[in-house]
Amino acid sequence: SRDLVEKWDKGDKPIYGINTGFGFLANKKIDKSQIEQLQLNLIRSHCVGVGEYYNEDVTRGMMLLRANVMSKGFSGIRAEVIELLLTMLNKKVHPLIPSQGSVGASGDLAPLAHLALTLIGEGEVLFNGEKYKTIDCFNKLNLKPIKLQSKEGLVLINGTQAMTANGMVQLYKAKNLLKCADIIATISLDALLGTNKAFDLKIAQVRPHAGQLKVAKNVNKLIEGSEILTSHKDCSKVQDAYSLRCVPQVHGAVRDVIDYVEKTLLTEINSATDNPL
């Protein structure tokens, strides 16, 4: 892919993002002598994010997900750009990226521009809990910034990695909440002297929503061996309150939504997201 970009770079055929302007200026041909400056200008001009910086989890997520996308080989970027990004990730050099400014539809242009800015030795980073000018941190760690070549600025800023990194962090928290919810429901069932008959797998199998079946299995596993459950085996109570006996349906529906979100996010983080794709 990179060989193709460099071949087109030397030719006269106008190819978007390589030897043309962007957006409204897509029809403007760029002189060969200005191709590298075009990429540099693109990064600097999009560093207009505002607000609080992303936290470490989201920033690291953005770095990793962007490296993953570029590594697929559909973007035409040099391997050394990806390698520097991964080196920063491994050495815990985190770009300071303002959290507000994404335009969504065209990708996370502003957040990713702030990330890309550090790769060229500009902007600021956080290292060992201290804020540094990127170039000072690079000098401290003997790292060399990259010099952007044709298309590379465009590759670095067009993508959904701020959105997806945020999404994955929230997904992780949501899945932990789901696990806690099943545990709390099981404790409540035992404490309120409820029965686990509503969690019989035969019930879930005749109305086979995936989330409902999973919750029923979880609760049965969690309550297994309960002495409270066996102590009222022959009690006269006919049924438990809705809040207990409908746990599989309620928790299950939430699980189905979260599973859909996970499927969508996993597809997106393993997709090539680049301009002009």
Side-chain angles (χ1 to χ4, degrees):
S1 293
R2 184 64 206 170
D3 287 345
L4 273 176
V5 170
E6 290 177 1
K7 176 185 171 185
W8 293 331
D9 184 4
K10 295 178 178 69
D12 292 320
K13 184 179 179 181
I15 296 181
Y16 182 77
I18 295 176
N19 54 15
T20 70
F22 309 107
F24 181 72
L25 299 173
N27 292 324
K28 183 172 176 57
K29 188 85 159 49
I30 304 299
D31 188 81
K32 290 175 187 176
S33 64
Q34 295 181 310
I35 281 176
E36 290 181 4
Q37 187 64 42
L38 174 73
Q39 301 300 315
L40 187 60
N41 290 350
L42 182 69
I43 298 300
R44 288 171 174 166
S45 66
H46 281 77
C47 287
V48 290
V50 295
E52 294 180 9
Y53 295 123
Y54 280 124
N55 64 33
E56 187 177 279
D57 287 344
V58 173
T59 301
R60 290 182 65 79
M62 286 177 65
M63 296 168 76
L64 180 63
L65 296 183
R66 196 68 206 146
N68 182 51
V69 166
M70 296 188 297
S71 297
K72 294 188 173 298
F74 297 111
S75 299
I77 198 164
R78 290 172 298 151
E80 49 261 49
V81 181
I82 306 167
E83 287 163 2
L84 176 59
L85 186 56
L86 292 175
T87 298
M88 290 172 66
L89 191 66
N90 289 331
K91 291 184 179 293
K92 298 187 176 180
V93 177
H94 302 138
L96 287 172
I97 303 172
S99 58
Q100 304 297 317
S102 172
V103 293
S106 297
D108 296 313
L109 298 177
L112 287 173
H114 284 277
L115 190 158
L117 194 67
T118 62
L119 293 172
I120 61 176
E122 298 181 15
E124 295 180 315
V125 295
L126 203 64
F127 177 63
N128 285 341
E130 290 185 42
K131 187 191 288 189
Y132 287 86
K133 286 186 176 178
T134 303
I135 196 62
D136 293 340
C137 187
F138 275 19
N139 289 338
K140 184 182 178 76
L141 298 172
N142 201 26
L143 298 176
K144 290 185 179 178
I146 58 162
K147 185 177 180 182
L148 293 173
Q149 295 185 9
S150 61
K151 197 180 185 291
E152 291 184 332
L154 193 66
V155 173
L156 286 165
I157 71 169
N158 273 98
T160 60
Q161 283 64 55
M163 286 183 265
T164 46
N166 268 297
M168 293 304 287
V169 169
Q170 300 310 320
L171 175 67
Y172 177 77
K173 292 177 180 178
K175 291 182 80 168
N176 278 339
L177 280 174
L178 288 174
K179 186 183 288 187
C180 291
D182 285 354
I183 293 169
I184 292 165
T186 308
I187 294 170
S188 302
L189 187 70
D190 234 10
L192 295 168
L193 302 179
T195 175
N196 66 337
K197 286 182 180 177
F199 300 86
D200 192 312
L201 296 187
K202 291 193 289 292
I203 297 171
Q205 285 161 351
V206 295
R207 192 190 190 187
H209 293 286
Q212 178 181 322
L213 184 59
K214 188 164 188 178
V215 173
K217 284 180 178 177
N218 281 353
V219 174
N220 278 312
K221 186 177 181 182
L222 287 163
I223 208 165
E224 189 178 349
S226 164
E227 293 181 11
I228 297 176
L229 193 66
T230 55
S231 71
H232 60 92
K233 187 177 180 181
D234 299 314
C235 71
S236 58
K237 192 196 293 186
V238 176
Q239 64 180 13
D240 293 322
Y242 265 134
S243 55
L244 294 178
R245 72 177 191 268
C246 290
V247 163
Q249 288 77 14
V250 177
H251 289 199
V254 178
R255 277 187 179 274
D256 288 339
V257 173
I258 296 301
D259 285 347
Y260 172 76
V261 170
E262 181 171 21
K263 181 171 177 279
T264 303
L265 282 169
L266 286 175
T267 300
E268 181 64 14
I269 67 174
N270 288 297
S271 302
T273 54
D274 185 15
N275 195 335
L277 283 174

